[in-house]
Every structure is written in C-alpha cells, then in structure tokens.
Amino acid sequence: MLDEPLSGLDPMVRQSIIRGFIQFIDIETQSIILSTHELKDMEPILDEIVVMREGSVIAHELVEDIRESQRKDITTWMTNLFQEQRENELEAAKSY
C-alpha cells in the first residue's frame, strides 16, 4: 500500500519510481495498491481504478475498459464521474 508515492518529486525521479514499480513487481503474483492525485503519471501502469468518496467506493473499473469502451483517459473519466455525482446530489436536494 502506497500513499501518494510521487508527491513532491521532480519528473525525473517520478519516472524512476514508476520504472521501479514495473521492474520489481511480479505482475502475475503481486499487486500494488496506491492512492494518488498524480493520475497522469500513474495511468500507464494502472490495471484497475477504485474511486472512493467519503469512505465509500463509488466506482471500480478496469482501466482498459475505460480507454476502449468510453474512449477516455482516467482524468477525464474521473472528472465526468464526479460531475455526475454532483449533479445527482443537486437533483436529490431539489426533490426535498
């Protein structure tokens, strides 16, 4: 479990860390769970994405499915997800 592994690092060091993830992990038997706001840097090595909000999972998708079926990058997908969530909250508030 890694929490913001690229936070505060310059781009060259970030790339070195990402290469280390790829080099030292056996993708057949090991997984890395990480939380990050650095989606653009991490997206190339992600297989799955789990989005949590206020302690609850609001989305869990395969990254390849997002790219292929929705034709979006992760950042765009997440932006749309949170916009939809916000719109649903506003609609729910109107019905009270």
Side-chain angles (χ1 to χ4, degrees):
M1 175 69 177
L2 302 169
D3 184 22
E4 297 290 350
L6 305 179
S7 182
L9 302 175
D10 68 61
M12 289 179 59
V13 173
R14 287 178 184 202
Q15 291 304 314
S16 177
I17 289 174
I18 291 169
R19 280 192 303 274
F21 290 154
I22 295 167
Q23 182 178 359
F24 295 109
I25 298 298
D26 179 353
I27 61 172
E28 297 299 321
T29 62
Q30 297 175 313
S31 297
I32 297 174
I33 299 172
L34 59 91
S35 66
T36 186
H37 291 88
E38 310 292 342
L39 293 174
K40 289 189 187 287
D41 290 325
M42 298 303 292
E43 183 171 353
I45 66 167
L46 297 177
D47 292 321
E48 295 181 52
I49 184 165
V50 177
V51 181
M52 297 184 71
R53 183 172 182 200
E54 297 177 2
S56 297
V57 174
I58 63 169
H60 180 189
E61 299 285 338
L62 294 173
V63 173
E64 198 63 30
D65 287 348
I66 294 168
R67 288 185 192 126
E68 289 181 4
S69 67
Q70 299 184 34
R71 301 204 185 284
K72 296 177 183 173
D73 62 22
I74 298 303
T75 303
T76 302
W77 175 79
M78 282 189 66
T79 299
N80 293 343
L81 176 68
F82 282 109
Q83 286 174 339
E84 289 172 16
Q85 288 275 311
R86 183 68 182 141
E87 289 169 5
N88 291 341
E89 290 170 359
L90 291 172
E91 284 297 315
K94 286 180 186 178
S95 65
Y96 285 118

